[in-house]
């Protein structure tokens, strides 16, 4: 479970009673897509002929540009997560990261799911004695990609939801 029981109004758009602007929603989606794409090769190395995770990332990016409807991005996310379910390890986590990124178009708070699954993928791909270090490196890489406009929002979200996101976010 990556979503809190109570919805954070900072991740609900203004038109739905929250405080999130459409521009920041798109930035969250772009950041989630970058997180997922960074580990996508871990999926494609195992399932090179399965386009669903890459297509999900492409759909959410298209949504941020206004080229597709939210429902199309959300559906692509579901397809990417279906690709994940039959796998294990890094490939599974990478596909889930892509799926989570695509559903940010529907629920902005999934941005952390994309990041958390990407960190899990990086950990799973590393030798056991390097997994923690690989996770910290991935977390730092992700934070380096954060646009200034959403940086504090995402970092605070990581602090608040770290426990329900497998404690993957490094605070050292």
């Amino acid at each position: 479970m990556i979503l809190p029981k109570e919805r954070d109004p900072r991740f609900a758009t203004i038109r739905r009673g929250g405080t999130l602007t459409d521009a920041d929603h798109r930035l969250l989606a772009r950041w989630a897509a970058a997180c997922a794409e960074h580990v996508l090769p871990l999926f494609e190395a195992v399932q090179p002929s399965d386009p669903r995770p890459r297509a999900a990332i492409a759909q959410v990016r298209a949504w941020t540009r206004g080229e597709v409807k939210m429902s199309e991005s959300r559906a692509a996310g579901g397809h990417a997560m279906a690709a994940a379910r039959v796998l294990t390890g890094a490939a599974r986590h990478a596909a889930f990261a892509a799926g989570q990124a695509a559903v940010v178009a529907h629920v902005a708070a999934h941005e952390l799911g994309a990041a958390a699954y990407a960190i899990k993928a990086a950990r799973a791909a590393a030798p056991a004695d390097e997994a923690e270090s690989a996770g910290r490196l991935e977390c730092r890489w992700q934070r380096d990609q954060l646009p200034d406009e959403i940086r504090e929002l995402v970092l605070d979200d990581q602090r608040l939801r770290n426990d329900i996101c497998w404690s993957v976010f490094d605070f050292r």
Side-chain angles (χ1 to χ4, degrees):
M1 163 126 152
I2 58 153
L3 294 175
K5 290 181 182 180
E6 290 188 32
R7 194 163 182 188
D8 186 334
R10 298 174 304 164
F11 289 93
T13 58
I14 292 168
R15 69 184 163 283
R16 295 189 184 264
T19 60
L20 186 67
T21 66
D22 288 342
D24 285 351
H25 191 177
R26 288 189 297 274
L27 287 174
L28 288 168
R30 286 184 196 121
W31 178 72
C35 292
E37 189 171 52
H38 195 237
V39 296
L40 186 60
L42 298 172
F43 172 83
E44 292 178 333
V46 174
Q47 296 284 64
S49 62
D50 189 339
R52 292 176 290 179
R54 182 169 294 280
I57 294 167
Q59 285 292 87
V60 75
R61 286 198 170 122
W63 173 80
T64 68
R65 296 186 302 267
E67 297 169 1
V68 301
K69 294 179 180 181
M70 173 280 294
S71 59
E72 293 173 85
S73 185
R74 182 182 64 199
H79 295 308
M81 289 187 261
R85 288 185 186 100
V86 299
L87 301 172
T88 60
R92 177 184 176 97
H93 300 314
F96 273 129
Q100 289 289 310
V103 298
V104 170
H106 180 247
V107 175
H110 281 289
E111 104 291 356
L112 220 53
Y117 274 112
I119 292 169
K120 285 181 67 142
R123 284 180 173 177
D129 62 336
E130 296 174 23
E132 287 300 314
S133 176
R136 281 192 299 276
L137 286 173
E138 184 65 22
C139 186
R140 287 184 200 128
W141 180 89
Q142 291 175 358
R143 288 178 179 168
D144 287 344
Q145 310 314 303
L146 277 167
D148 290 340
E149 298 89 339
I150 60 168
R151 183 173 189 73
E152 287 308 313
L153 174 63
V154 171
L155 294 178
D156 190 49
D157 196 26
Q158 288 178 348
R159 283 188 287 276
L160 292 173
R161 290 200 282 155
N162 192 41
D163 288 347
I164 63 172
C165 290
W166 312 286
S167 300
V168 298
F169 299 109
D170 179 41
F171 293 102
R172 290 178 245 162

